[in-house]
Amino acid sequence: MTILVTGGAGFIGANFVIDWIAAGGEPVVNFDKLTYAGNLENLASLKGNNRHIFVQGDIGDFDVVAKVVAEHRPRAVLNFAAESHVDRSIHSPEDFIQTNIVGTYRLLEAMRGYFGSMSPAEKTAFRFLHVSTDEVYGSLKSDAAAFTEDHTYQPNSPYSASKAASDHLVRAYHHTYGLPVLTTNCSNNYGPYQFPEKLIPLMIHNALIGKPLPVYGDGLNVRDWLYVGDHCTAIRAVLERGKIDETYNIGGWNEMSNIDVVHTLCDILDVEKPRGDGVSYRKQITFVPDRPGHDRRYAIDASKIDRELKWKPVETFETGIRRTVRWYLDNQSWVKNVTSGAYREWVATQYQ
């Protein structure tokens, strides 16, 4: 028995694969295109482990996906593969449409064929778990109730629109073709191996190299923050106990404004890695023009997964962010390797 993980060299996917194997789950076939954010160095701890099989490939390549599932016969497929950075989607929406919509469609088509080849017992056991985002729900007012699974989809960026489309395709493949699907919509993840284009690793990286800490607008945009290790345990719970065709919101119960997150990071770094001049890293904070269509607030109501699957996060933001800062301080060689070349050009363009 195996499971197939798509996008398993990216941030969340790599954390999931590492946690899954550490927890003694089945062998993993890890299928990843290895784009700029998909990095085999994320999986270095699994080198030589015969329970981890890496295959480089694109979920949009139907023939390759069909060949992989025919060869390895996974009992579950977990789809982490996605373009996920809102800023990049504003500059290059086609990449997001191709991966998140067309790629998901072709992956589902391959799964439809694979599911049709199964015995009745295999069909009963099989699951396709699609990992999505809270951004499909749109933006909340400051006094509005948090997103539940019944919240209307109102995506506001090319990224969130492409993920909303992929969610709808997954649902359609269950209702039309009987594919046994599960969908999760998570809040903002943070933790080890996150590519430093996202807020938390970007702030840590820029702070340590003496660059400005760019904060959009007034910095009061609010997000719910979920430690990636908690996200991984939630996905395992959904795979093991989730009901077919159900959606589960996964959140950390940690709403914070972006500027409060940046202040927290500066304060931790002031203690863990103080500047040579003794000045707080807060001095490096620079407010930059807001990005187009910037959603004001996201908030996840994770009551359903708690009530039905008995899952809740272990990490508070305080404990999770300290673990995260410590990881980046202890793994500067990883940061150096992923922030060379094209990354520097992207950051210079985005925050000029």
Side-chain angles (χ1 to χ4, degrees):
M1 299 289 286
T2 63
I3 64 168
L4 173 67
V5 173
T6 67
F11 164 48
I12 303 175
N15 274 281
F16 178 82
V17 169
I18 292 167
D19 285 2
W20 178 271
I21 289 178
E26 297 101 323
V28 174
V29 179
N30 188 343
F31 187 83
D32 196 292
K33 188 178 178 180
L34 295 183
T35 59
Y36 74 94
N39 183 0
L40 284 179
E41 195 172 348
N42 297 349
L43 303 161
S45 64
L46 300 178
K47 187 175 182 179
N49 190 317
N50 60 12
R51 297 174 58 237
H52 177 243
I53 303 162
F54 181 78
V55 179
Q56 185 173 356
D58 184 350
I59 61 168
D61 191 330
F62 173 89
D63 291 336
V64 171
V65 174
K67 180 180 178 182
V68 168
V69 294
E71 177 181 353
H72 294 281
R73 307 295 296 179
R75 63 98 174 173
V77 174
L78 295 90
N79 182 34
F80 293 88
E83 294 282 352
S84 66
H85 191 211
V86 175
D87 293 343
R88 288 181 185 265
S89 81
I90 292 170
H91 288 284
S92 303
E94 185 171 351
D95 294 340
F96 289 71
I97 291 166
Q98 287 299 322
T99 297
N100 298 350
I101 302 177
V102 178
T104 300
Y105 153 69
R106 290 179 178 158
L107 176 64
L108 286 165
E109 275 292 279
M111 293 307 104
R112 181 161 73 99
Y114 173 53
F115 187 68
S117 73
M118 293 179 183
S119 68
E122 288 174 326
K123 287 183 176 180
T124 298
F126 182 74
R127 297 291 184 271
F128 179 90
L129 193 157
H130 176 65
V131 179
S132 190
T133 172
D134 60 357
E135 298 193 34
V136 298
Y137 298 128
S139 186
L140 287 170
K141 294 182 178 180
S142 60
D143 59 349
F147 299 131
T148 68
E149 289 79 1
D150 296 324
H151 197 94
T152 302
Y153 274 34
Q154 295 179 312
N156 292 320
S157 70
Y159 162 61
S160 57
S162 68
K163 288 298 291 184
S166 70
D167 293 3
H168 292 320
L169 283 170
V170 170
R171 174 182 169 85
Y173 269 67
H174 170 70
H175 286 272
T176 303
Y177 304 114
L179 193 69
V181 304
L182 301 157
T183 299
T184 60
N185 294 88
C186 69
S187 57
N188 279 34
N189 277 225
Y190 67 98
Y193 303 112
Q194 188 170 31
F195 192 80
E197 63 186 357
K198 301 295 178 73
L199 179 67
I200 288 174
L202 175 66
M203 295 301 117
I204 297 171
H205 178 59
N206 278 17
L208 295 176
I209 62 175
K211 287 190 173 183
L213 308 182
V215 177
Y216 283 133
D218 59 10
L220 297 180
N221 302 76
V222 173
R223 301 293 183 262
D224 172 50
W225 294 94
L226 173 66
Y227 186 70
V228 68
D230 282 330
H231 189 190
C232 292
T233 63
I235 291 171
R236 289 206 300 269
V238 173
L239 182 62
E240 293 167 7
R241 304 188 294 279
K243 296 179 182 178
I244 291 173
D245 194 35
E246 288 286 325
T247 296
Y248 296 91
N249 282 352
I250 304 172
W253 299 106
N254 291 303
E255 281 191 64
M256 290 187 70
S257 68
N258 288 345
I259 191 62
D260 284 342
V261 170
V262 177
H263 284 160
T264 299
L265 288 168
C266 290
D267 295 347
I268 294 171
L269 288 170
D270 285 343
V271 175
E272 296 291 331
K273 189 77 171 179
R275 284 175 38 143
D277 58 7
V279 175
S280 172
Y281 286 102
R282 290 192 182 205
K283 184 179 180 181
Q284 293 170 226
I285 295 172
T286 304
F287 291 93
V288 299
D290 210 352
R291 72 185 180 204
H294 196 178
D295 289 338
R296 193 61 170 172
R297 174 178 170 244
Y298 305 142
I300 282 281
D301 182 337
S303 298
K304 177 179 176 179
I305 191 171
D306 183 1
R307 181 177 63 253
E308 297 187 7
L309 305 185
K310 308 305 179 188
W311 175 90
K312 61 179 59 178
V314 172
E315 301 290 346
T316 64
F317 186 75
E318 181 180 356
T319 61
I321 200 64
R322 288 187 179 279
R323 291 185 65 177
T324 299
V325 171
R326 187 73 260 161
W327 187 89
Y328 280 94
L329 290 175
D330 292 342
N331 289 273
Q332 282 296 294
S333 61
W334 179 91
V335 176
K336 182 179 179 180
N337 289 342
V338 302
T339 54
S340 60
Y343 167 80
R344 289 198 298 270
E345 296 171 9
W346 159 256
V347 171
T349 299
Q350 181 63 22
Y351 298 108
Q352 61 185 349

